[in-house]
Amino acid sequence: MTAPTPFTVTELFTDHDGRARFRDHTLSLDEGTPVSRLTRLAASGGCQWRESPAGFASSFHCTGEPQWLIVLQGQMEIGLQDGSTRVFGPGQVFYSNDTLPEGAVFDDRVHGHRSRLLGEQPLRTLFVRTREPGF
């Protein structure tokens, strides 16, 4: 029997300087059975479905509550203040955790991320709120 291949997931987080950054985490598949390997169960606080039309683009903003974002349809680009971007397509996921630092006043030149839809297909996503991401 081969060892399980862990999931690699991206986290969008607020670094010590208040700026949003990306980092990758590995989720271990230590539970379940050899034919259905699972991560440990993480608590969730509800979910929301979203659809954004072609042309969707946001200004810089912070995540209000930590949440998993799962792309169901379309392609979503996340851009950071430093100019870096990542694109997420159907079946891809990231943990959105770039909340405004406690006591900070939002500055759109420093804080948060922007997002936009790439292409003409509407963007459909599922948000699952949790403060316990499982990594």
Side-chain angles (χ1 to χ4, degrees):
M1 180 187 326
T2 61
T5 303
F7 275 89
T8 299
V9 295
T10 298
E11 178 185 15
L12 172 62
F13 73 103
T14 303
D15 209 344
H16 66 276
D17 61 0
R19 294 186 179 273
R21 306 254 194 273
F22 292 115
R23 67 180 160 207
D24 292 328
H25 295 275
T26 300
L27 301 179
S28 296
L29 299 169
D30 297 333
E31 298 187 14
T33 66
V35 296
S36 182
R37 295 177 173 132
L38 302 167
T39 64
R40 69 176 179 83
L41 185 63
S44 64
C47 67
Q48 288 181 302
W49 304 86
R50 181 179 82 178
E51 181 174 290
S52 300
F56 164 77
S58 75
S59 55
F60 279 94
H61 63 283
C62 289
T63 298
E65 294 286 330
Q67 58 194 351
W68 285 102
L69 188 143
I70 303 143
V71 178
L72 304 171
Q73 175 184 294
Q75 288 197 322
M76 178 181 208
E77 180 185 75
I78 302 295
L80 305 183
Q81 297 285 352
D82 66 6
S84 63
T85 63
R86 290 205 188 176
V87 176
F88 299 90
Q92 293 184 303
V93 60
F94 66 92
Y95 187 61
S96 188
N97 189 27
D98 67 324
T99 56
L100 187 64
E102 190 172 332
V105 174
F106 181 75
D107 180 342
D108 66 0
R109 297 165 297 163
V110 175
H111 302 116
H113 68 279
R114 62 162 180 76
S115 56
R116 69 180 179 130
L117 168 65
L118 300 177
E120 296 302 316
Q121 188 176 43
L123 177 65
R124 289 186 170 187
T125 54
L126 173 63
F127 297 98
V128 180
R129 291 211 176 143
T130 181
R131 292 190 178 276
E132 198 179 308
F135 43 76

